[in-house]
Amino acid sequence: MPVQRTPRDPAPAAPAKPAAPAATPTPQIQLVPASAEGALDAAEEAVDLLLESGRAPGDILMITTGEPHPWAAHELSFGEDAYWAQHDAGDDVFYADASLAGRAASRAVVVVAVNGGTDTTVATALPLALGRAGSLLIVCGDPTQINSVLGAGV
């Protein structure tokens, strides 16, 4: 007759490891080659394509490194409070000069027009834009300059 074995007590469970913080996914980066003079037009076209593809206007932030976008210049003429109120409402594309972009909240898509500005301005604006982009960063400008800031192969 076989001997009946008594079940052993299960080994104590190892203490649960704390969950690793969820890594923030890196947004996809798209480069649209353009001269400094054509970067704003290329960026506006990118915004139009995003809107036509169904992207909500409030999902998009456009940053310029040179001359401000005409919309931003116009809206700022009514004062900074009104300008930032439109940003906070979050229901339309928001346009910001690189010098103001640090105040802008993250949006799903950030479009950058490298339409001039100093190398320092561009070197500051691109990483900031990457940090503000939830899923997609579109950069319109000189590929050599952009790759030197964001890394080769962008």
Side-chain angles (χ1 to χ4, degrees), residues 19-36:
T24 305
T26 302
Q28 178 184 358
I29 301 172
Q30 292 180 1
L31 174 60
V32 178
S35 66

Side-chain angles (χ1 to χ4, degrees), residues 13-93:
K17 292 182 181 178
T24 305
T26 302
Q28 178 184 358
I29 301 172
Q30 292 180 1
L31 174 60
V32 178
S35 66
E37 297 78 24
L40 188 58
D41 288 339
E44 286 180 332
E45 186 174 323
V47 169
D48 288 345
L49 288 171
L50 288 164
L51 295 171
E52 289 170 9
S53 71
R55 185 68 76 166
D59 286 350
I60 303 168
L61 168 66
M62 183 195 285
I63 298 171
T64 56
T65 62
E67 289 294 316
H69 188 278
W71 180 92
H74 173 76
E75 293 303 317
L76 279 166
S77 71
F78 298 107
E80 284 208 23
D81 288 343
Y83 174 76
W84 288 107
Q86 290 187 357
H87 167 270
D88 296 342
D91 55 3
D92 204 354
V93 177

Side-chain angles (χ1 to χ4, degrees), residues 72-135:
H74 173 76
E75 293 303 317
L76 279 166
S77 71
F78 298 107
E80 284 208 23
D81 288 343
Y83 174 76
W84 288 107
Q86 290 187 357
H87 167 270
D88 296 342
D91 55 3
D92 204 354
V93 177
F94 190 75
Y95 299 87
D97 178 75
S99 65
L100 300 174
R103 186 170 166 187
S106 295
R107 296 224 177 165
V109 180
V110 177
V111 179
V112 179
V114 183
N115 62 330
T118 66
D119 286 342
T120 302
T121 299
V122 174
T124 302
L126 291 180
L128 182 127
L130 183 60
R132 295 290 188 274
S135 60

